[in-house]
Each structure stands twice: as C-alpha cells, then as structure tokens.
Amino acid sequence: MSRIPLTADAVAALSPDDASTKAARGLVAPAKWPMLGANDAAVWGECQGSGSKPYQTQVDVSGAGPTFRCSCPSRKFPCKHGLALLLLQAQTPQSFTAAEPAWVSEWLASRQERAEKKEAKAAAPPVVADPAASAKREAQRVQRMAAGAQELALWLDDTIRKGLAAVSDSDGPAWATVAARMVDAQAPGLGQRVTQAFAVVGQGRDWPACLLGRLGNLQLLVDAVAQRERLTPGLQADLRQALGWPIERDEVLASGERVSDHWQVLAQVLVEREARLTERRVWLQGARSQRRALLVDFSFAGKAFDQGWSVGVPHSGTLAFYTSADPLRALLAESSPVPDAAALPQPPNGDAEWTALATRMAANPWAQSWPLWLDAVQLQYTADAESPWWLWADARAIPLAISETDAWQLMAMAAGGPVSIFGEWTGELLRPLTAWSDVDRWVATGVQGDSI
Amino acid sequence: MNDWNALLQAALVGAERPWSLPALAHDGAPEGAADTVAHMLREAHAQSAPDAPGLLLRLAGAKAVCQRAGWTASTTPLAPTARAAPESRTLANAAWSQLLSQALTFGAQRLQHQVLFAMDTATLRAPPVLLPALLHAGRQSVVLRTHLLPVLGERGRWLAQQNPEWAYACGAQEQADTQTHWAHGSLEQRCAVLRTERASAPAAARERLLAGWESLAAKDRAALIATLHVGLCADDEAFLTPQLKDRAIDVRRTAADLLAALPSSAYSQRMVARMQALVQSEQAEPGLVGRLLGSVLSKAEPRWTVQAPNQADADWKADQLEPERPKYEPLGERAWWLFQLTSRTPLAWWTSHTGLTPAAVLALAKAGDWNDALLRGWHHAMLWQPDAAWAQALLDCAPAARWDGRSSLLALLAPQQREQYHLAQLAASTNLHDVVVSCLDGCAPHAHLGQAVSERLAQLLRQHIDQGALVNDYSLRNQLPDLACALHPQALSRLTNLPRSAEETTSLSEALTLLEQVIRSRQQLIQLTQEEPTP
C-alpha cells in the first residue's frame, strides 16, 4: 500500500459536525469491523451496526479529495462509518488486509463508468426528445410563473401601501402563505425570497431598512418577469435562476462557455440544507484566465460527490459556465488526467477587487453572494455584541459573519499579522472561507448566516 | 435627508400617504446634481404616475442595488492590534502536535498534563491551530496552567490578550528578565518569580513583596502572600503579623496559617496557650513532680483528654478565629471552635506536649468526643506544616471510602510508603473504584504509580473488563482515562487488546475506545519523550 493514509486531524476536518466526529471515534475499534481492506484506489470495511447485516462502508481515495459511500441510513455526509474507517486506517493501517470485495469493485467500476459516460455525453450532441412538447411545457411554466409574479406584485404593492411599520412577527403565517403560492406557481425562487425578507423582521437595529432592500429587490424581479423578452440572454438566464427554475446540466455542458485552465481551489464549503440534502460550494480561480468560478453540487442522503476537491490542490480541466450576465457558476466538463502543480494565484489588488465586485453586482442585481478576495487585512475582535468580528484594512473596517470557533482559529493563525482572505460577500458582510498568511493556511469549518 | 432615508421613511408609514424624493442640492456632493443615481431615480419617478403600483419599492430596489454596489468600508478610529512577539521556543513537530490535539479532544486531563509537561520540558510550543482549544482547557482547569502557559508561546500569550475570557494567560514574554516578569507579568508569573526567589533568597523575595504591598489588589495580595510558604522562616514573622489586620479576609487567613507554621511566632504561642487549657492529662497531678512521679510509678500511660472550648474569647477575632459558626457548618458550635484552634496550632506541639507519637495522638482523639473536629483541624494544619509521620498517621485512620483530603496527605509520603499504603488498600478493599480514586489522588499529574501497584491495578481492572463488570460501573469507567495515564508504563500492556464485541452498549463502547486511545497516546508520548534529547 503506497498511499499514505490521512492523519486523524485531516479526517476530522472532513466531518460535517462535532457529533459525527465523536460518533466516529466511538467506532474506531477493529473489533467493530469484521472486515477491513485498502488499496491505492479505495478503503473499505464492514461495520457491525445495530442490525444483523453489517454496513458496507467505502471511500474512494483516488481523486483529489476522498469520496464516501456507505450503506447505512444516516443523513450525515460523510457518515460516522466513513470517518471511522479513515480514522482507523490512520491509526492501524496494518489491519487493512482484506481483499477487495465485489461491492467495492462494483462501486469503483460504476464511478469510472459514470465518469466515462459523462465525458461521452459531453462529447455527444444533446438529444432532444420532442422539441415541440418540451417547448410547450416550457411555455406553460413561463405562463404560470408570470401569473405568480403578477400576484406577488399586487401583494407587494398592498404591503408597501400599508407601510412596513405595520409588519410584525405575527404576520408570519400570512407571508408563509404568499411564499407557498409562489411555489405553486412554479417560481420557488420568489417564495424563497419572500421567506428571506420576512426573516429580518425584528432582527437587529435596522431591520426596516433591510426589509425594504429585500422587498425592493423582489419588486425588480417581478418587474423583470413582466418585461422578460426585452432582457439580454444573460440577464434572462439570471432571472430564470432567481425564479428557481434551474438550467439543466446537459444544456450547460452542451452550450455553456468553456474555459480550460489550471484551476486553483480557493475555498470549499459544505452546507446542510433541508433534511438529508448537503450543498457543496467550491470556488475556483484559473491560473491563466484569472476567471473565478463556482461549482455547486448537492448530495442527497450521504451519496458521494462525483469529484473531490481540496483547497490548495490544483485541478487541470475545462469548465462549462452557466449563461449569466455575470458568469460565475460552472460545471466541470472535462478533467485533465494529470494535475499540474500550479502556484497559488496572487491575491488581487484591493481597488480592482472592489471594482470587480461592484461590476458583478450591477450586471446581475439578483445574485445574493459574490466572491471576494482581500489581501493584507487584519482580523479584529471587538466587544460589539451584534457583530464582534471585523477585518481591518487601511483604517477601514469590514464586518464578518464567522463562527466564534472559526474566528479564534483564524486569529491564532494570523497572530496580528496581515492575511489574505477569500470568502463570500453578502452585500453587507463577508463570510470568510479560506485565509493565507506567509506560512500558514486557515479553512473555515462552516459558514454563518447561510440558512433558509 | 438623502434619498434612501426618504424612501425608507415613506415605506415605514405607507405609500398611501403622499411621498416624494427630496430636492437635489446643487453642490455636486453625493446625491447632489452630479449624482447619476439620484437623477435616475427622479427620472423614473417623474415618468410614472404618482400612485403607480410598486413605484416606491421599485425606486427602493434600484437604490438598494446601487448602494450595495457602491459599498465602502467605514473608517475606524481604533488602532490595529500589535503583532505577536517573536517566538523563543521551537514549534512542535507533527507528532507532538497530533498528540496534543488528541489529548485536548479526548478531554483526559492527566494526559493533557503529561503532554504539556513533556512539551514544556522539551521547550516546545503548540501549533497555532491548537491555541484556542488550549487556552480554553487552561481556563477550565487551573492545575493545567503551570506547563500550559509556557507551551502557548508568544503567539498564545498574544491571543490570550485578545479575549477577555483568556486573561489568565496574558503576561510578559517568556524570555523577559525576572524584573519584567515581576513588574508586568500575569499574577501566575509574579507568583512564580516569588516562589523561585524564595527558594534561594527568602529575605530578598520578602523585600520584593513588601516594596509594592500597599498598592496590590486583594486577590493579588492573597495569592502572593501564600508564596511565602516556600522557605518560610522566623524572619517572616515581622511581615506576617501586621497582615492579620489586612482588609481582605483571604489575606488575614493565609497570614494566620503561615504564622501557625512558625512554632516560634507569638501567634503560635498564643494558640498553644489556648490549646494547652484544653488538652489535659487526667492521671498526672499538675506540676513537674507529679508528672515525673506519674510516669515513673504508674505502669499505665497518662490518660490525655481533649476538651472543646466552652466559650469564644474576646481576643479570638484578632487571631482569625471565628466565634460565629458558618450557616452550613456540619460541626456543632464547640466543635467548630476546637477545629479552628487545632488547625492553627503547630503540629509539633502535640507530640512534644503529650510525649505521644502522632498515631497515639490520633488514637486518643478517636476515643474522645471531638474526633471529627480534631481530624479536620489536623488536616488543615498539614497543608501548611507538612509532616510525613502525621500524614501517615492521618491516612491510617482515614475512612477507606472517598475522602477529599487524601491527595494532599499522600503527596507528603515517601514513594515507597505511598506504594505500601496502596498495596494494603488493594489487599483490603473490594471496591476497585475507591482504590483507583485513592491511587489517582496520591499520584502527581505528571508522575506514575509504582510498578507493583500498577501491575496489580491493571490486573484487577482487566479482570473486571473481561468479566463484563464494566457495563454498569459508570463511576469506574470515568476514571479509566486518568488511570491509564497514572499506571507504570510496564503495566500498560495488560490493558491492550481489550475484548471488544459488536453487542457492547454505546456508552461502554465509547469508554473502552477512549481507554484504548488514551493508552495509545500515552505510549506515543513515552516514545516521543525518549526520542527527545534532554536539554
């Protein structure tokens, strides 16, 4: 076995939460694992759970980051069995002696097959089943969404006529009904924004201003639906995205703008959405093109993500960007087999970065977070209860949304010196995801204020 | 008023009422004539009917997007924090860091202590990523701090300054000289300065303390005066006596305890005089002749009795004796008085006055009415007047079960005596948990038990586990991580390859896994310590 197992700390970093780490530690006992094995491509084992049949746990370690699969019903991802398997390997690699069983070979083969199929699919021209029928379906959905938007416009007007001062916590059910009607109208994005707007009511000192901003943005959205035909193709795509009508992967792979580069992973973050659904966001920057890209994947019920990513490990390949007035979101269309060692791209010049941010905001007014990379900033803790964490740069202060644990880790890493921080800007706060000093790196364990 | 505030105000009261955008200023200032956003808003306003649906929200939405795009950070009047001082210690390598990280996650305090002790001895410092967890652990446990503070390094000390919760770890740079530590260090650093100096030059340390005494806070005075316990000598009396009148009760009490530990002090003499009236020989006549005759003529030993005081004298308060019994005090009023007198009477007086050994004095107390008060008093006196013979005697008559005072007594025994004591306990007791607790009590956090005791303990524990008796023994389970760190290294092998089964309960599984992990960490620690060249 030539591959070096991950260290216990590295495994713990993959854990979705502390409870999983703790549960995984409880399973780090060879006696609990009647069968253990490993080779260069994968680690596998059977873990005796409460049922009669042991859980089959396997980790594909051939990619840039490990991908997990387990037969247990846990909705955590990765589950405690997967973590325990890697912890056990870090501790006693010599006990991983079992030969590769069929269920591992099958999984690896299916992953390989899927990767090949994906490539083949990407190469093949898209197949449209029945252009006429699908066009009709689309037209129907557009009609429904337009009707929903119109209904929302009336409700918005009604709300603003009565005045925002009249809005209180007790209006929750009424607003929830409006949100539900938008889902019925096949525009879940509108419903989500109604819910998000109501979430600020009564929160913090200046919630009325926050609420006005969010409702104003909704008004721009319903205005745009009414005049959708006059929008540019990019803005039309952004509108569709904001309404909650995702663009098909195949369509992006078939017609999206393609960029080949050495992609540096600037940040990776996992967010648990509703039950059993995990969202993964990976931020990339091309070494040659300087393009930023966001890969968003979802994993349901602990299924593995197709491609593993690790911050700092570059990946050569071609991305297909979603159509947008400000193209950021992309899909990995092709991977080059050999990852090149590329130096970390230099953090951008401060003024240029803020200008680029403003340009992105102007291009797509409905986006809700943007990449922001700040160089030579200092983390500062203040006694302010509402927002204790700030970044200071040139005697100016940028507010942060960061968990206390993460913040103190970052503070310890920076030790008062300047750091370079990449994160997601929400329009008023920065959610830091990765930070670099001259000698060290910090990676957030989670994001704050990103729940719906 | 700017446009946004005008829109917000209109939105709050409702668009049903008439509203408008404020008139433009013609000075080219923000939202003056030169502001394109302001023009755009007014144009849109002018082109719509005054009560067009959604007009207010539309303008607010557009203004909000523009404001968001034009966001600039506000200036801050505060100066940025200074950077951490350069490090003087070597950064721990991956093996040490992993070991420390494990010790912190397992939460086994003895393991934490041992790892920190070893890292401190090897002049290592913890990696930045572990500093918050380390500072948190030190906040929870005062005993960890001795070796934790140096291992923090300059970066850890700097980090502690940023969080008020970690104030205990602030202080002067490690490499600074004694004077800097004394003048600018944390309380712990200042105590360390005094303790070190007391060991070599007690008078100089006393002078150092005296020089700034008046300006110290009560908490600092109480902690610093206690350091005089190191190298306590008759010359300290002149400084200690006035402190019996200190404003802070902790200072007064510590001063009294220290004076009681000086048999020649006037304070001790006063206590002896009070005690003398209560400890009487029944048989012997008062006076030297009678006593001599008694001991020569009678074969029977003189029968000593101890009485409790009948009343609290007026001068007691000045000597830190409390006539008032505290509310939750289990002792009765007279017993409470006797306890206080006993705890501040020199231990040596008991043996010289009665001519009995400590064990005989204890037997005497046991036969009398005031055993509880006396035992507690002697135990308190032991804290300030360490004496191995008394410690042994007190331990021998101590209750077998849990007892809070045991660790301080066990610490006073020579290792061999301690070992004997534990072996006797192991032979006599049927409750493994109680013996384990007692053994842990007597074992300093970075030391380990003797081989014979360790082998026997490990053997019994292994039997216990093999028989499945651990399933319901929650209290013993909680002691396992600490015990694994206190056993002699040779005895650890008895606890490896524990019998594990898939059917074990979750909590037992966690306990056994933790035990296995702690043992593995400890073995790694032993290995690393052997590799590390001793400085």
Side-chain angles (χ1 to χ4, degrees):
Chain A
M1 206 182 70
S2 57
R3 196 184 57 87
I4 302 157
L6 290 172
T7 64
D9 284 341
V11 178
L14 298 166
S15 171
D17 51 34
D18 288 351
S20 298
T21 317
K22 191 159 177 265
R25 278 207 199 93
L27 291 171
V28 183
K32 291 236 160 193
W33 298 81
M35 195 276 274
L36 287 168
N39 60 23
D40 278 355
V43 189
W44 57 87
E46 286 185 348
C47 182
Q48 190 62 55
S50 45
S52 59
K53 197 172 182 292
Y55 295 127
Q56 297 175 333
T57 311
Q58 48 198 322
V59 187
D60 182 346
V61 290
S62 57
T67 40
F68 294 83
R69 191 192 197 191
C70 185
S71 62
C72 79
S74 166
R75 61 185 184 83
K76 291 284 173 58
F77 184 79
C79 68
K80 59 181 178 177
H81 305 103
L83 294 170
L85 187 67
L86 291 187
L87 284 173
L88 203 56
Q89 200 200 12
Q91 194 173 291
T92 48
Q94 68 276 10
S95 50
F96 285 69
T97 50
E100 187 175 301
W103 49 270
V104 174
S105 323
E106 277 163 20
W107 182 54
L108 291 178
S110 76
R111 277 178 58 73
Q112 182 66 33
E113 201 179 314
R114 230 179 318 158
E116 278 163 12
K117 254 194 206 157
K118 216 169 74 180
E119 269 173 42
K121 214 172 179 185
V127 190
V128 181
D130 180 355
S134 77
K136 196 178 159 199
R137 270 200 308 276
E138 283 200 9
Q140 248 171 15
R141 179 161 185 179
V142 171
Q143 283 312 312
R144 281 207 197 103
M145 291 199 300
Q150 213 158 16
E151 189 188 333
L152 186 62
L154 284 176
W155 177 80
L156 283 171
D157 190 53
D158 200 35
T159 308
I160 200 72
R161 277 182 196 280
K162 282 189 227 150
L164 299 186
V167 180
S168 77
D169 282 346
S170 60
D171 294 322
W175 286 55
T177 310
V178 176
R181 292 203 44 87
M182 292 305 110
V183 176
D184 292 345
Q186 288 189 300
L190 292 177
Q192 198 182 35
R193 280 162 198 257
V194 170
T195 312
Q196 284 170 347
F198 189 74
V200 304
V201 172
Q203 303 295 310
R205 285 182 287 256
D206 49 358
W207 69 263
C210 250
L211 181 62
L212 180 60
R214 290 184 181 204
L215 293 182
N217 201 264
L218 256 177
Q219 179 70 46
L220 298 186
L221 207 46
V222 297
D223 286 352
V225 174
Q227 46 187 309
R228 58 191 174 276
E229 261 116 52
R230 282 163 41 206
L231 302 178
T232 62
L235 214 47
Q236 276 185 11
D238 290 331
L239 176 63
R240 178 174 165 168
Q241 201 74 259
L243 293 175
W245 186 6
I247 296 162
E248 297 295 328
R249 292 173 61 92
D250 290 346
E251 204 179 318
V252 178
L253 290 173
S255 58
E257 178 200 3
R258 292 202 167 214
V259 180
S260 300
D261 209 331
H262 301 299
W263 299 98
Q264 271 290 353
V265 183
L266 295 180
Q268 164 166 239
V269 65
L270 292 174
V271 185
E272 201 174 314
R273 292 300 181 189
E274 62 248 42
R276 298 172 72 91
L277 188 68
T278 308
E279 177 186 313
R280 181 181 70 173
R281 297 201 290 267
V282 179
W283 286 100
L284 303 174
Q285 176 155 313
R288 279 193 306 266
S289 63
Q290 297 297 309
R291 282 284 289 265
R292 295 232 177 109
L294 169 66
L295 309 183
V296 184
D297 298 276
F298 293 91
S299 152
F300 188 67
K303 291 282 181 308
F305 289 105
D306 278 344
Q307 171 74 45
W309 300 90
S310 299
V311 174
V313 179
H315 191 100
S316 284
T318 304
L319 299 185
F321 282 82
Y322 284 71
T323 308
S324 166
D326 170 33
L328 272 174
R329 197 167 162 197
L331 295 170
L332 180 64
E334 277 168 43
S335 264
S336 306
V338 189
D340 293 75
L344 183 74
Q346 288 301 305
N349 162 284
D351 286 342
E353 182 73 4
W354 285 107
T355 309
L357 178 69
T359 313
R360 287 184 192 283
M361 287 172 160
N364 174 5
W366 304 301
Q368 292 179 307
S369 70
W370 298 267
L372 184 62
W373 193 357
L374 299 173
D375 194 26
V377 287
Q378 197 195 30
L379 181 66
Q380 197 74 30
Y381 175 68
T382 65
D384 187 295
E386 217 169 283
S387 65
W389 296 99
W390 297 79
L391 284 184
W392 287 11
D394 306 329
R396 287 176 179 274
I398 299 153
L400 297 183
I402 185 171
S403 77
E404 199 173 320
T405 320
D406 274 353
W408 285 113
Q409 297 272 9
L410 176 53
M411 194 85 146
M413 190 277 273
V419 287
S420 153
I421 290 191
F422 177 83
E424 292 171 342
W425 177 250
T426 67
E428 50 219 6
L429 293 163
L430 180 67
R431 295 196 288 250
L433 298 178
T434 314
W436 299 265
S437 73
D438 293 343
V439 291
D440 217 345
R441 191 177 71 205
W442 166 91
V443 174
T445 58
V447 286
Q448 292 285 299
D450 187 30
S451 52
I452 297 153
Chain B
M1 187 187 289
N2 66 26
D3 288 352
W4 174 253
N5 285 342
L7 290 167
L8 180 59
Q9 213 166 62
L12 277 170
V13 295
E16 272 173 352
R17 296 171 188 232
W19 60 277
S20 65
L21 291 166
L24 285 186
H26 290 282
D27 55 359
E31 294 181 356
D35 189 324
T36 46
V37 176
H39 280 292
M40 180 194 80
L41 292 181
R42 277 162 189 75
E43 211 171 300
H45 192 221
Q47 282 172 8
S48 314
D51 63 344
L55 178 61
L56 176 53
L57 275 185
R58 190 168 301 123
L59 296 188
K63 177 72 183 166
V65 168
C66 295
Q67 282 198 151
R68 198 169 62 183
W71 186 91
T72 46
S74 54
T75 54
T76 166
L78 297 164
T81 326
R83 299 177 71 151
E87 301 283 358
S88 57
R89 286 174 164 246
T90 320
L91 180 65
N93 63 17
W96 278 107
S97 303
Q98 200 182 344
L99 194 56
L100 180 60
S101 159
Q102 284 167 1
L104 289 168
T105 25
F106 297 161
Q109 205 182 68
R110 213 170 256 267
L111 181 63
Q112 292 172 358
H113 198 108
Q114 291 182 351
V115 173
L116 290 170
F117 176 80
M119 289 179 74
D120 187 17
T121 314
T123 55
L124 297 175
R125 66 180 162 91
V129 65
L130 292 180
L131 290 176
L134 203 53
L135 283 162
H136 183 70
R139 182 172 176 241
Q140 307 269 308
S141 160
V142 178
V143 288
L144 270 187
R145 293 182 192 168
T146 322
H147 302 291
L148 181 148
L149 291 173
V151 170
L152 288 173
E154 299 306 335
R155 187 182 291 239
R157 255 181 296 286
W158 174 89
L159 192 61
Q161 287 165 14
Q162 318 303 318
N163 187 346
E165 289 186 354
W166 296 334
Y168 76 90
C170 300
Q173 277 188 42
E174 193 184 1
Q175 292 300 299
D177 56 7
T178 311
Q179 191 50 44
T180 316
H181 272 169
W182 175 248
H184 306 293
S186 63
L187 182 56
E188 312 231 358
Q189 283 177 330
R190 287 159 64 86
C191 285
V193 167
L194 276 190
R195 273 193 294 268
T196 313
E197 199 169 25
R198 282 291 285 185
S200 53
R206 190 176 57 238
E207 291 307 320
R208 184 191 285 283
L209 180 57
L210 188 59
W213 183 254
E214 293 302 327
S215 58
L216 289 172
K219 179 171 91 81
D220 296 2
R221 287 203 305 277
L224 290 169
I225 197 174
T227 62
L228 294 188
H229 192 212
V230 180
L232 187 69
C233 55
D235 295 342
D236 294 328
E237 187 182 355
F239 169 70
L240 289 171
T241 307
Q243 311 321 329
L244 289 172
K245 297 191 181 100
D246 195 279
R247 292 184 304 281
I249 186 160
D250 287 345
V251 179
R252 296 199 297 271
R253 284 185 177 158
T254 307
D257 285 327
L258 287 166
L259 284 167
L262 285 172
S264 62
S265 70
Y267 181 89
S268 287
Q269 300 301 324
R270 290 198 295 279
M271 296 304 290
V272 163
R274 290 178 185 123
M275 214 58 198
Q276 218 141 17
L278 304 170
V279 182
Q280 304 258 333
S281 162
E282 269 185 5
Q283 221 173 339
E285 298 294 316
L288 182 64
V289 178
R291 222 188 279 178
L292 274 173
L293 284 175
S295 60
V296 172
L297 295 178
S298 160
K299 273 184 187 168
E301 294 284 316
R303 278 177 51 84
W304 290 94
T305 56
V306 183
Q307 293 303 318
N310 283 314
Q311 61 176 48
D313 291 336
D315 61 349
W316 277 24
K317 277 216 150 162
D319 279 344
Q320 298 310 305
L321 301 168
E322 296 294 329
E324 283 282 310
R325 191 167 64 112
K327 210 172 171 187
Y328 299 107
E329 176 56 54
L331 292 174
E333 186 172 55
R334 291 181 61 202
W336 163 247
W337 291 336
L338 180 61
F339 153 67
Q340 292 187 83
L341 289 178
T342 315
S343 57
R344 301 253 172 76
T345 302
L347 282 171
W349 172 82
W350 290 90
T351 42
S352 66
H353 179 63
T354 62
L356 300 171
T357 61
V361 175
L362 260 74
L364 187 86
K366 205 170 182 181
D369 297 333
W370 307 101
N371 196 26
D372 288 351
L374 288 168
L375 278 181
R376 253 180 70 185
W378 284 322
H379 183 243
H380 181 96
M382 288 282 306
L383 298 178
W384 300 92
Q385 310 167 40
D387 183 310
W390 273 91
Q392 180 80 58
L394 277 168
L395 279 170
D396 287 344
C397 73
R402 300 215 58 175
W403 178 38
D404 290 343
R406 187 157 41 203
S407 58
S408 54
L409 297 181
L410 283 167
L412 293 172
L413 299 187
Q416 216 164 2
Q417 282 173 297
R418 198 156 50 219
E419 191 87 352
Q420 288 302 323
Y421 177 79
H422 290 319
L423 284 173
Q425 268 189 315
L426 277 166
S429 171
T430 52
N431 187 329
L432 187 56
H433 169 254
D434 289 345
V435 184
V436 166
V437 170
S438 163
C439 290
L440 289 175
D441 275 351
C443 186
H446 54 264
H448 57 74
L449 296 161
Q451 194 165 358
V453 170
S454 300
E455 295 278 359
R456 182 73 187 132
L457 268 175
Q459 191 190 356
L460 287 173
L461 184 62
R462 185 61 194 249
Q463 275 175 17
H464 210 67
I465 296 172
D466 287 347
Q467 289 161 5
L470 206 56
V471 179
N472 295 315
D473 199 342
Y474 293 92
S475 40
L476 180 57
R477 246 155 47 186
N478 291 337
Q479 302 294 338
L480 292 182
D482 273 353
L483 182 62
C485 297
L487 290 177
H488 192 278
Q490 299 286 331
L492 288 177
S493 57
R494 285 183 188 270
L495 294 176
T496 48
N497 298 319
L498 295 173
R500 302 297 300 267
S501 76
E503 286 82 40
E504 63 200 18
T505 63
T506 315
S507 59
L508 178 65
S509 172
E510 277 174 12
L512 290 180
T513 303
L514 182 60
L515 177 61
E516 284 173 340
Q517 283 168 332
V518 169
I519 289 179
R520 205 172 294 114
S521 296
R522 174 126 188 263
Q523 284 166 335
Q524 280 167 8
L525 171 63
I526 293 167
Q527 200 187 342
L528 279 177
T529 317
Q530 281 163 353
E531 283 168 10
E532 199 71 41
T534 30

